């Protein structure tokens, strides 16, 4: 089955700096890579996703890059703000070929944006 | 507003008792999922269902059971066979193809004493 590794487990940045979280996956059949943000005591919320036919996707201050050959993908947050502080999860799965739509999640990164 | 509702938010049970966690969605999603979240271990899949009256085991199904009698509902029972049931449980749903990712509920924190 799929295995997703996520690094770092904790990340502390100064407000206005950039933050990068990296994930690797093992199953070459995975074709969908979402990122979720989880605030304390709440369920994760989808913030951005990328499919295997795309190398990069941006949405305002958030971007995701995918390297299929190396089986890794990254989340980039620019101009970080205190409200970006949360736990971020990456995930990978096969949703296009009847793989059951199951997502395998990374272990999470606790991002802290300091004033 | 459409969404996915988990109840209760906090649940306390004595060791050896079965307990059922509720998950209801009004998003007209076909697929529903249960994940368990423990500190430092991310989200692990317990069970998932792609259609009414059908469900499959995930990676950590032992000690859990589910039913899917209605499209909107996917309750999870934590049985006395689950060795370490104290955790944060998350329910999610998606359209059949999963192309738009999961929508998660706000979770149920189960504590077994």
């Amino acid at each position: 089955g799929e295995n997703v590794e996520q690094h770092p487990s904790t990340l502390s940045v100064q407000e206005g700096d950039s933050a990068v979280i990296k994930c690797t996956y093992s199953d070459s059949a995975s074709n969908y890579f979402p990122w979720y943000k989880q605030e304390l005591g709440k369920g994760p919320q989808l913030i951005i996703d990328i499919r295997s036919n795309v190398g990069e996707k941006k949405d305002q201050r958030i971007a995701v890059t995918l390297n299929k050959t190396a089986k890794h993908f990254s989340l980039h947050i620019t101009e970080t703000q205190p409200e970006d502080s949360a736990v971020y999860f990456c995930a990978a799965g096969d949703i296009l070929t009847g793989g059951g739509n199951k997502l395998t999640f990374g272990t999470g990164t606790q991002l802290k944006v300091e004033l | 507003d459409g969404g996915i509702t988990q109840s209760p938010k906090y649940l306390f049970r004595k060791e050896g008792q079965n307990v059922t966690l509720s998950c209801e969605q009004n998003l007209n999603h076909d697929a529903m999922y249960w994940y368990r979240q423990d500190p430092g271990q991310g989200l692990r899949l317990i069970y998932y269902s792609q259609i009414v009256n059908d469900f499959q085991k995930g990676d950590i199904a032992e000690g859990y059971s589910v039913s899917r009698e209605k499209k909107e509902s996917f309750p999870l029972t934590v049985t006395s066979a689950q060795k370490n049931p104290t955790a944060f449980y998350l329910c999610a749903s998606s359209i059949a193809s999963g192309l738009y990712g999961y929508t998660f509920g706000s979770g149920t924190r189960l504590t077994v004493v």
Side-chain angles (χ1 to χ4, degrees):
Chain A
E2 176 65 274
N3 181 52
V4 177
E5 295 190 358
Q6 183 173 346
H7 299 281
S9 58
T10 60
L11 179 59
S12 187
V13 300
Q14 294 293 313
E15 183 180 6
D17 288 350
S18 295
V20 180
I21 302 170
K22 298 181 179 182
C23 289
T24 60
Y25 63 99
S26 61
D27 190 348
S28 57
S30 287
N31 46 48
Y32 177 65
F33 308 92
W35 286 88
Y36 288 84
K37 175 183 180 182
Q38 185 179 27
E39 297 177 341
L40 193 63
K42 298 183 179 179
Q45 284 197 307
L46 180 69
I47 56 171
I48 195 168
D49 56 14
I50 193 168
R51 291 164 177 77
S52 58
N53 59 343
V54 175
E56 182 175 0
K57 183 176 179 181
K58 282 182 126 175
D59 183 4
Q60 300 182 339
R61 296 187 295 109
I62 293 173
V64 57
T65 59
L66 171 65
N67 183 327
K68 281 169 42 180
T69 303
K71 294 196 185 71
H72 67 71
F73 56 113
S74 300
L75 177 71
H76 305 253
I77 305 174
T78 59
E79 300 173 18
T80 54
Q81 301 167 2
E83 51 265 38
D84 293 330
S85 297
V87 178
Y88 291 81
F89 290 97
C90 63
D94 170 14
I95 64 165
L96 300 177
T97 62
N101 307 334
K102 294 182 296 176
L103 290 176
T104 300
F105 286 81
T107 50
T109 296
Q110 174 74 62
L111 173 64
K112 184 176 181 181
V113 180
E114 298 176 333
L115 297 172
Chain B
D1 287 337
I4 183 166
T5 302
Q6 289 187 244
S7 61
K9 191 170 179 68
Y10 299 96
L11 190 55
F12 295 87
R13 276 295 181 267
K14 290 184 179 180
E15 194 171 335
Q17 289 182 334
N18 292 354
V19 60
T20 298
L21 282 60
S22 170
C23 179
E24 303 275 336
Q25 55 98 0
N26 61 3
L27 299 165
N28 200 32
H29 285 173
D30 294 298
M32 297 187 75
Y33 314 82
W34 274 105
Y35 281 85
R36 170 179 171 143
Q37 185 173 19
D38 296 283
Q41 296 197 51
L43 283 68
R44 293 182 290 166
L45 182 64
I46 304 172
Y47 269 98
Y48 66 105
S49 167
Q50 293 182 279
I51 196 170
V52 174
N53 292 323
D54 188 45
F55 48 84
Q56 287 79 41
K57 293 181 179 180
D59 300 317
I60 55 165
E62 186 176 349
Y64 300 98
S65 65
V66 294
S67 63
R68 186 86 187 278
E69 297 177 1
K70 297 187 301 181
K71 186 176 183 178
E72 301 79 18
S73 179
F74 191 40
L76 172 74
T77 297
V78 183
T79 75
S80 56
Q82 169 51 233
K83 299 300 181 190
N84 185 20
T86 295
F88 190 53
Y89 291 88
L90 286 161
C91 180
S93 67
S94 72
I95 62 174
S97 67
L99 281 175
Y100 297 100
Y102 293 178
T103 299
F104 279 92
S106 56
T108 292
R109 184 165 299 281
L110 172 64
T111 302
V112 176
V113 295

